[in-house]
């Protein structure tokens, strides 16, 4: 489910959002979970588009095709000729592809493609330039915290007058979502846009939801903008998803939102349960849960999610295990992996059609819906015959313009074949069909449930990365949150609660543990 802003918006929030819509220059927004940041961004894009009276347009950049698709759908005709797409597509289409030859010579006046193959990883920037020269592939570093494509885009901008003039002439504003997940090289690139090209930025993020540090996410880049004089700063903190008690509980752990603790009646919305044996925890969950409402049991690993799913099913609580799809593993990243992922959705997801597939295609106007429908049908009809399946998929890849990198394409198709023929992945692609699910914390980001259960053992709250994961997990529920843990583990977790409460008290707020959680 996506974020929305309802009728219950606080007057103060309305004032802030009106200010966001009217502010000029560079804008940065710290938007906590459930605050309707996508709605606010869409409203600002629509307002700017209506007021723009010249030939310029806008760019809205995201981290995923899914997020870009949501923005496109919500903009509707307001999108016009604006760019909405991923960060990588933005720099490849507007900077690297058209202007690399301007800096590096005619050897680079050719069609370039993104390459995510680990076999072609580089260690230096100059090595990357040579790989592009020889293979036409924009490769990546072996160091996951360095981003060759964005280093290249920035280098081109700095050295090409034509590229700078083009970008300045084309865009009146660039909107960037989930900025806390940007790496250092992305941050340097976007700061060049506003500091040197004077293209205004509209940046939205949430430091508390920075859970990709392992792949180079540089949340400090986001927080540094709040000390940058050229940015107008805003904060959206009212969580329209969760009730006030859950908002309070999630906020006390995070330094920048503790001040928003709200006095309210506590009616056991947040409970921590200590147990000696897992059977005790199972018995308590059976008493606590409302089986008619959606509940997610969020775990740190797939292994634990599957384990707890089995234990709960043994007592007639039909929790469905949501395994991660092998097609989503990072070692498969390539410019064409989206095809295999979209075919999996078409084959397994109940409400996914050829129209949805068309929405995934980078340039859909180049293809015919009837062709897409026919080829997807052939693929689905051959799901029980591996050789025929590979043959039909290869034809489809070629139709979509991917007729190179054949070994990797075949690997993707082989994994795809296993996924569509394994019933265990049906829940992965149809989560909305199940009331009770058990999956990972990472898979829950952006989703919401009436009830959520978490394991205290997953959270060392002295670790900043784990603290962010904890925040993501405990802001998923709308109504009720249950934390379970063996006695010693939950004692440590309880100490962290007391620390958070003491820090909140230091702000002059009247709070004690009985106002935020019931410990049993």
């Amino acid at each position: 489910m996506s974020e929305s802003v309802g009728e219950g918006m606080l007057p103060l929030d309305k004032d802030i959002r009106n200010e966001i819509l009217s502010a000029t220059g560079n804008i940065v927004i710290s938007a906590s979970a459930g605050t309707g940041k996508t709605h606010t961004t869409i409203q600002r894009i629509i307002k700017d588009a209506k007021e723009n009276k010249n030939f310029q347009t806008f760019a809205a950049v995201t981290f995923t095709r899914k997020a870009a698709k949501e923005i496109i759908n919500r903009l509707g005709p307001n999108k016009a000729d604006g760019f909405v797409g991923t960060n990588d597509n933005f720099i490849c289409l507007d900077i690297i592809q058209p202007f690399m030859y301007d800096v590096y010579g005619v050897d680079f006046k050719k069609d370039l493609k993104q390459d995510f193959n680990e076999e072609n990883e580089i260690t230096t920037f100059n090595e990357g330039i040579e790989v592009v020269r020889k293979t036409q592939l924009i490769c990546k570093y072996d160091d996951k915290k360095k981003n060759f494509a964005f280093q290249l885009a920035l280098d081109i901008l700095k050295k090409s007058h034509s590229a700078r003039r083009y970008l300045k002439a084309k865009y009146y504003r660039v909107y960037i979502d989930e900025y806390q997940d940007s790496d250092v090289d992305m941050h340097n690139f976007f700061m060049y846009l506003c500091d040197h090209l004077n293209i205004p930025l509209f940046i939205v993020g949430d430091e508390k939801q920075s859970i990709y540090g392992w792949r180079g996410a540089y949340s400090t880049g986001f927080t540094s903008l709040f000390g940058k004089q050229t940015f107008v700063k805003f904060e959206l903190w009212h969580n329209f998803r969760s009730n006030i008690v859950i908002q309070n509980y999630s906020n006390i752990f995070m330094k920048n939102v503790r001040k928003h603790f709200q006095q309210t009646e506590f009616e056991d919305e947040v409970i921590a349960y200590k147990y000696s044996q897992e059977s005790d925890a199972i018995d308590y969950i059976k008493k606590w849960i409302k089986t008619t409402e959606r509940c997610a049991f969020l775990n740190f690993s797939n292994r634990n999610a599957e384990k707890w799913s089995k234990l709960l099913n043994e007592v007639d609580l039909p929790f469905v295990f949501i395994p991660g799809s092998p097609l989503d593993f990072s070692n498969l990243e390539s410019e064409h992996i989206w095809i295999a992922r979209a075919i999996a959705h078409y084959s397994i997801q109940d409400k996914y059609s050829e129209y949805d597939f068309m929405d995934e295609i980078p340039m859909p106007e180049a293809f015919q819906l009837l062709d897409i429908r026919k080829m997807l049908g052939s693929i689905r009809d051959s799901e029980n015959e591996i050789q025929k399946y590979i043959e039909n998929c290869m034809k489809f890849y070629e139709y979509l313009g991917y007729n190179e990198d054949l070994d990797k394409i075949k690997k993707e198709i082989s994994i795809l074949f296993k996924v569509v023929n394994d019933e265990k992945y049906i829940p992965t692609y149809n989560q909305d069909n199940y009331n009770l699910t058990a999956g990972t914390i990472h898979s829950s980001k952006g989703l919401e449930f009436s009830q959520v259960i978490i394991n205290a053992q997953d959270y060392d709250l002295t670790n900043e990365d784990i603290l962010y994961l904890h925040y993501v997990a405990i802001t998923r529920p709308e109504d009720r949150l249950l934390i379970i843990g063996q006695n010693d583990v939950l004692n440590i977790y309880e100490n962290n609660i007391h620390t958070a409460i003491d820090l909140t008290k230091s702000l002059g707020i009247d709070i004690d543990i009985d106002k935020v959680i019931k410990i049993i």
Side-chain angles (χ1 to χ4, degrees):
M1 298 177 69
S2 59
E3 295 172 345
S4 60
V5 179
E7 294 298 322
M9 186 188 297
L10 298 178
L12 181 59
D13 274 76
K14 286 185 177 179
D15 293 341
I16 292 173
R17 289 168 205 275
N18 286 336
E19 290 181 31
I20 290 172
L21 292 179
S22 60
T24 58
N26 297 305
I27 297 166
V28 59
I29 304 169
S30 176
S32 296
T35 55
K37 63 182 179 64
T38 303
H39 173 87
T40 302
T41 302
I42 295 294
Q43 293 303 111
R44 177 69 199 224
I45 293 174
I46 292 173
K47 179 177 183 292
D48 288 347
K50 288 180 178 179
E51 293 179 354
N52 179 54
K53 302 300 181 184
N54 60 29
F55 57 86
Q56 288 180 298
T57 187
F58 69 89
V61 296
T62 69
F63 277 84
T64 65
R65 292 174 183 271
K66 180 180 177 182
K69 179 181 174 182
E70 180 180 0
I71 291 174
I72 290 170
N73 289 342
R74 291 170 71 167
L75 279 175
N78 295 292
K79 175 184 175 295
D81 60 351
F83 171 89
V84 181
T86 64
N87 290 290
D88 287 332
N89 275 350
F90 176 61
I91 60 169
C92 288
L93 294 175
D94 267 348
I95 301 170
I96 298 175
Q97 179 67 60
F99 296 107
M100 188 170 184
Y101 77 92
D102 192 36
V103 174
Y104 294 99
V106 294
D107 285 353
F108 297 89
K109 195 168 187 179
K110 56 185 72 171
D111 288 335
L112 305 177
K113 296 181 179 180
Q114 286 274 15
D115 176 40
F116 298 95
N117 196 329
E118 291 185 355
E119 295 174 2
N120 295 331
E121 288 180 345
I122 56 170
T123 56
T124 69
F125 183 79
N126 288 336
E127 184 184 346
I129 298 298
E130 281 306 304
V131 170
V132 178
R133 183 195 305 273
K134 294 176 182 178
T135 68
Q136 300 174 234
L137 298 175
I138 304 169
C139 47
K140 66 177 183 178
Y141 285 110
D142 55 5
D143 181 349
K144 288 181 168 55
K145 296 191 176 182
K146 295 170 66 177
N147 191 320
F148 174 71
F150 271 83
Q151 287 182 5
L152 177 59
L154 180 55
D155 192 55
I156 292 170
L157 274 186
K158 287 181 176 179
K159 294 176 179 177
S160 171
H161 174 71
S162 296
R164 294 193 300 273
R165 185 173 61 183
Y166 169 77
L167 225 58
K168 289 174 65 174
K170 184 174 183 180
Y171 294 117
Y172 59 75
R173 185 177 292 278
V174 175
Y175 307 81
I176 312 164
D177 194 17
E178 303 287 3
Y179 198 85
Q180 76 280 353
D181 291 334
S182 296
D183 57 39
V184 172
D185 296 311
M186 290 179 178
H187 177 66
N188 291 339
F189 170 83
F190 287 122
M191 290 306 98
Y192 188 85
L193 294 189
C194 68
D195 292 342
H196 297 276
L197 302 189
N198 297 317
I199 300 174
L201 303 183
F202 183 96
I203 288 175
V204 182
D206 183 10
E207 179 194 11
K208 304 183 295 304
Q209 296 192 72
S210 179
I211 61 176
Y212 297 112
W214 56 274
R215 72 177 187 198
Y218 178 60
S219 61
T220 302
F222 174 65
T223 56
S224 69
L225 300 180
F226 290 85
K228 197 171 173 69
Q229 291 185 349
T230 54
F231 274 78
V232 184
K233 300 93 180 174
F234 296 97
E235 180 187 9
L236 296 176
W237 60 269
H238 184 73
N239 179 348
F240 294 98
R241 173 193 303 136
S242 304
N243 60 40
I244 294 176
V245 172
I246 291 173
Q247 289 182 53
N248 283 342
Y249 187 70
S250 59
N251 286 346
I252 64 172
F253 291 97
M254 311 306 290
K255 180 180 179 180
N256 62 338
V257 288
R258 287 191 181 109
K259 61 187 177 184
H260 296 308
F261 184 90
Q262 305 171 72
Q263 300 297 339
T264 189
E265 293 294 322
F266 179 80
E267 297 180 353
D268 298 347
E269 292 93 340
V270 181
I271 292 176
Y273 179 77
K274 297 181 183 180
Y275 65 87
S276 300
Q277 298 180 348
E278 288 177 348
S279 58
D280 297 330
I282 296 296
D283 288 341
Y284 186 79
I285 291 172
K286 194 168 185 179
K287 295 175 184 175
W288 173 85
I289 196 168
K290 296 179 180 178
T291 56
T292 57
E293 298 178 9
R294 288 193 73 194
C295 181
F297 195 145
L298 302 180
N299 292 265
F300 203 80
S301 68
N302 272 308
R303 179 183 299 176
N304 280 340
E306 185 173 20
K307 175 189 120 176
W308 282 98
S309 174
K310 289 179 178 177
L311 291 172
L312 290 162
N313 272 272
E314 288 173 2
V315 295
D316 298 324
L317 287 177
F319 271 79
V320 177
F321 172 49
I322 308 291
S325 171
L327 290 170
D328 292 331
F329 292 170
S330 60
N331 64 349
L332 281 180
E333 289 303 327
S334 70
E335 65 166 330
H336 41 66
I337 185 61
W338 68 269
I339 300 176
R341 289 170 178 163
I343 292 173
H345 279 280
Y346 181 80
S347 300
I348 304 172
Q349 187 174 326
D350 292 344
K351 299 177 181 178
Y352 192 97
S353 71
E354 58 268 26
Y355 296 98
D356 297 298
F357 192 99
M358 287 290 287
D359 287 340
E360 300 280 355
I361 300 175
M363 296 180 66
E365 62 276 3
F367 304 96
Q368 297 295 320
L369 177 64
L370 289 177
D371 292 338
I372 296 293
R373 179 183 294 152
K374 182 178 179 180
M375 299 183 87
L376 284 172
S378 296
I379 290 170
R380 190 154 58 182
D381 290 342
S382 59
E383 284 176 0
N384 296 320
E385 186 182 347
I386 180 65
Q387 292 305 322
K388 190 68 174 176
Y389 191 80
I390 292 175
E391 179 184 330
N392 287 334
C393 285
M394 293 290 286
K395 289 179 181 177
F396 194 37
Y397 272 74
E398 184 175 359
Y399 171 74
L400 293 169
Y402 299 94
N403 50 13
E404 300 175 359
D405 198 15
L406 298 182
D407 288 342
K408 190 156 191 180
I409 288 174
K410 287 180 180 178
K411 179 182 177 182
E412 292 172 8
I413 295 171
S414 296
I415 296 172
L416 169 64
F417 182 79
K418 293 177 182 177
V419 169
V420 299
N421 282 285
D422 192 334
E423 291 186 355
K424 78 177 182 181
Y425 295 114
I426 293 175
T428 303
Y429 292 90
N430 294 279
Q431 290 193 45
D432 287 344
N433 291 352
Y434 308 98
N435 246 17
L436 310 179
T437 58
T440 64
I441 303 159
H442 280 93
S443 67
S444 73
K445 190 177 178 185
L447 301 178
E448 55 193 53
F449 310 88
S450 177
Q451 311 160 96
V452 165
I453 305 169
I454 65 171
N455 257 315
Q457 70 181 30
D458 288 337
Y459 303 101
D460 172 9
L461 298 184
T462 62
N463 179 312
E464 187 176 75
D465 290 338
I466 301 299
L467 184 65
Y468 293 152
L469 273 173
H470 178 256
Y471 178 82
V472 169
I474 64 178
T475 54
R476 296 310 98 192
E478 299 170 337
D479 303 315
R480 308 167 77 223
L481 171 66
L482 174 64
I483 303 111
I484 64 169
Q486 289 183 309
N487 292 325
D488 291 345
V489 171
L490 201 52
N491 286 339
I492 296 171
Y493 185 88
E494 184 180 352
N495 289 337
N496 288 318
I497 298 173
H498 284 289
T499 299
I501 288 172
D502 289 341
L503 290 169
T504 306
K505 280 183 177 179
S506 69
L507 301 176
I509 295 171
D510 178 21
I511 177 178
D512 58 54
I513 196 164
D514 293 335
K515 292 184 178 180
V516 293
I517 189 169
K518 179 179 181 179
I519 298 177
I520 301 174

